[in-house]
Amino acid sequence: MKKIIFHIDVNSAYLSWTAVERQKRGGPDTLDIRTIPAIIGGDISKRRGVVLAKSIPAKKYGIITGEPVVDAFKKCPQLKSYAPDHKLYARYSQAMISLLKEYSPVISQYSIDECFMEYVPIPGAASPEEGAKQIKDRIRNTLGFTVNIGISTNHLLAKMASDFKKPDLVHTLYPDEIPQKMWPLPIEDLFMVGRSSAKKLRLLGIRTIGDLAQTDPKIIVSHLKSHGQTIWEYANGIETAPIDTRSKRDAKGIGNSTTISFDVTDRQTACHFLMELAESVSRRLRQHHLAAGMVSVEIKYSTFDQASHQTGLLTPSNGTQTIYDTACRLFDELWNGSAIRLLGIRTSKLSSDTIRQLSIFDDPASEKQQKLDHALDHIRQKFGDSSVIRASQMKSKD
């Protein structure tokens, strides 16, 4: 039997998770913010930053992910805005992954709100489509939020399928369905085709994914170089290497990166994503009883230009705050102000965290923070991610 891949994608993840948490906490205002024009993103009081997630009612006003918050309020003055809480989102993400592991031993997390899963036949499900419906319904009924699930024979097509009509739906995109389901879509809908690439393709008269698929690849490569070959293959459903390779670990380092679905053009939004990455990387370091002596940050711009910068730590660390602070400093030194589509944090020069060489420059508070990180990891591993919450994670009820 040919391998079947599921791509599970949370619908409006940040907004959905915020809505679920608000309802759990109760209080005078338990309105489900998914049912009103609402967004997650930016500084609420100053209306800075960009839209990280939007409700379906907000979408009806033309509000799009990645646009400035101030522009969103111009489109919808009665819009409600809520600050992001990435530690909260990490807990909901882990809860979903834990549930999915009951169905398959092969789970590959692609970002905080999406993952790939190799399908294992489910008792009582006559097909992968029926199995996917069971899984999505259980996520909705157990965890309180909805997902789309895309199904295919490779990661690329499964991811494309999950982006079809939303929310709370299952879609297939098998190779023989590509001409009917994928080729009529606008070129911007193809995975890895950003604003810059789409503009160049449209100048060549390529407006749909089908147009790209049926164009001589030599023409595409002459204008977009190696990236042109990649997206031509994607337009034809060809995946030469799995796309779920953003999480990296080898003997020399531990790291993670995230491709962002919109152009990030302000520091505040970039730092939100760096916090997600720092949480992920530091947790994995602690799981392997390792401390990092080097931290590096990677940026990929919307033009596909890349840049990276690294620095050594005076004392090897696996503390979340240390890695995050270092990553932000590196980002400030590296970023040239252009639109960002990928951010990554990687740690190297790893050593055992059981033996620590103290420095006269060590901040005593950092040692306390490291002990706190280990204590929280232990408690959450035993009792679940939501069993204990840092004071900094608590939000006042809206």
Side-chain angles (χ1 to χ4, degrees):
M1 180 178 176
K2 196 172 184 63
K3 183 187 298 183
I4 298 295
I5 303 294
F6 284 6
H7 180 253
I8 299 96
D9 188 9
V10 181
N11 301 136
S12 298
Y14 293 171
L15 189 126
S16 293
W17 290 334
T18 299
V20 173
E21 188 68 13
R22 279 168 50 86
Q23 292 185 314
K24 277 185 180 179
R25 294 178 183 177
D29 181 8
T30 58
L31 177 66
D32 188 341
I33 63 174
R34 290 170 290 190
T35 65
I36 63 171
I39 61 169
I40 302 295
D43 185 317
I44 299 172
S45 62
K46 299 178 181 177
R47 296 186 177 181
R48 292 179 179 173
V50 300
V51 175
L52 298 175
K54 62 189 179 300
S55 66
I56 292 177
K59 184 178 180 180
K60 292 178 180 178
Y61 285 87
I63 294 170
I64 60 174
T65 302
E67 75 173 314
V69 169
V70 65
D71 290 350
F73 273 94
K74 289 178 182 177
K75 294 176 180 178
C76 179
Q78 69 269 35
L79 187 70
K80 297 292 184 181
S81 180
Y82 301 86
D85 184 349
H86 291 281
K87 288 173 181 158
L88 170 72
Y89 304 153
R91 295 203 307 275
Y92 277 98
S93 174
Q94 185 55 48
M96 181 179 73
I97 297 299
S98 296
L99 183 151
L100 293 173
K101 285 180 179 178
E102 297 178 23
Y103 294 92
S104 173
V106 185
I107 306 288
S108 178
Q109 189 158 8
Y110 189 58
S111 70
I112 195 169
D113 61 345
E114 55 183 321
C115 66
F116 293 96
M117 182 183 94
E118 287 190 18
Y119 175 66
V120 175
I122 299 172
S127 66
E129 291 85 348
E130 286 189 14
K133 288 177 182 176
Q134 287 187 22
I135 291 172
K136 84 167 179 62
D137 289 347
R138 186 180 169 202
I139 290 173
R140 183 190 63 231
N141 297 333
T142 303
L143 302 179
F145 55 87
T146 63
V147 301
N148 262 37
I149 299 182
I151 306 173
S152 191
T153 53
N154 67 31
H155 297 73
L156 166 70
L157 294 177
K159 181 169 173 58
M160 289 293 299
S162 70
D163 281 336
F164 292 161
K165 185 181 178 181
K166 300 179 180 182
D168 198 27
L169 293 171
V170 171
H171 298 284
T172 63
L173 183 57
Y174 293 112
D176 62 347
E177 296 177 308
I178 290 174
Q180 174 191 1
K181 292 186 177 181
M182 190 171 81
W183 281 358
L185 299 175
I187 191 62
E188 292 86 354
D189 286 1
L190 181 63
F191 179 66
M192 289 300 291
V193 173
R195 186 181 304 169
S196 176
S197 298
K199 183 177 180 180
K200 291 179 181 179
L201 291 170
R202 286 187 173 277
L203 288 174
L204 295 173
I206 297 172
R207 293 176 172 79
T208 67
I209 297 176
D211 291 340
L212 174 59
Q214 296 168 53
T215 300
D216 186 338
K218 293 179 181 178
I219 296 174
I220 310 302
V221 171
S222 69
H223 288 84
L224 295 173
K225 301 187 167 68
S226 61
H227 181 64
Q229 179 67 33
T230 298
I231 61 174
W232 180 86
E233 291 175 356
Y234 285 177
N236 284 281
I238 301 169
E239 181 188 70
T240 54
I243 62 176
D244 60 327
T245 56
R246 71 176 58 176
S247 182
K248 307 167 187 175
R249 178 179 185 268
D250 56 32
K252 295 182 180 179
I254 287 177
N256 205 358
S257 62
T258 184
T259 301
I260 305 164
S261 61
F262 56 87
D263 289 341
V264 171
T265 56
D266 66 289
R267 183 183 187 276
Q268 182 184 29
T269 303
C271 286
H272 286 319
F273 287 103
L274 289 175
M275 173 54 82
E276 281 186 13
L277 294 168
E279 286 274 4
S280 169
V281 171
S282 62
R283 187 183 303 115
R284 291 166 60 204
L285 284 169
R286 294 191 293 270
Q287 286 173 347
H288 294 283
H289 303 289
L290 296 170
M294 183 80 72
V295 176
S296 64
V297 166
E298 174 192 8
I299 297 175
K300 180 181 286 186
Y301 297 106
S302 60
T303 59
F304 295 100
D305 292 329
Q306 299 183 58
S308 62
H309 196 20
Q310 66 182 24
T311 189
L313 301 178
L314 287 173
T315 302
S317 175
N318 54 22
T320 299
Q321 195 64 42
T322 298
I323 291 174
Y324 171 67
D325 290 342
T326 304
C328 287
R329 178 165 57 84
L330 290 170
F331 174 83
D332 290 338
E333 295 172 0
L334 182 64
W335 185 37
N336 66 9
S338 299
I340 300 167
R341 292 306 292 266
L342 177 145
L343 284 168
I345 295 178
R346 184 165 180 78
T347 58
S348 55
K349 293 190 176 180
L350 305 185
S351 59
S352 171
D353 67 356
T354 58
I355 301 175
R356 185 174 177 222
Q357 179 65 49
L358 297 177
S359 164
I360 61 172
F361 300 105
D362 278 351
D363 180 357
S366 67
E367 186 174 358
K368 293 180 180 178
Q369 185 65 50
Q370 188 176 52
K371 291 179 179 178
L372 176 61
D373 285 335
H374 282 292
L376 293 176
D377 288 345
H378 177 74
I379 294 171
R380 287 169 178 160
Q381 182 177 6
K382 189 172 183 180
F383 299 106
D385 284 344
S386 60
S387 57
V388 61
I389 303 174
R390 300 173 191 246
S392 60
Q393 290 176 253
M394 299 298 292
K395 298 286 184 183
S396 60
K397 295 177 182 178
D398 300 304

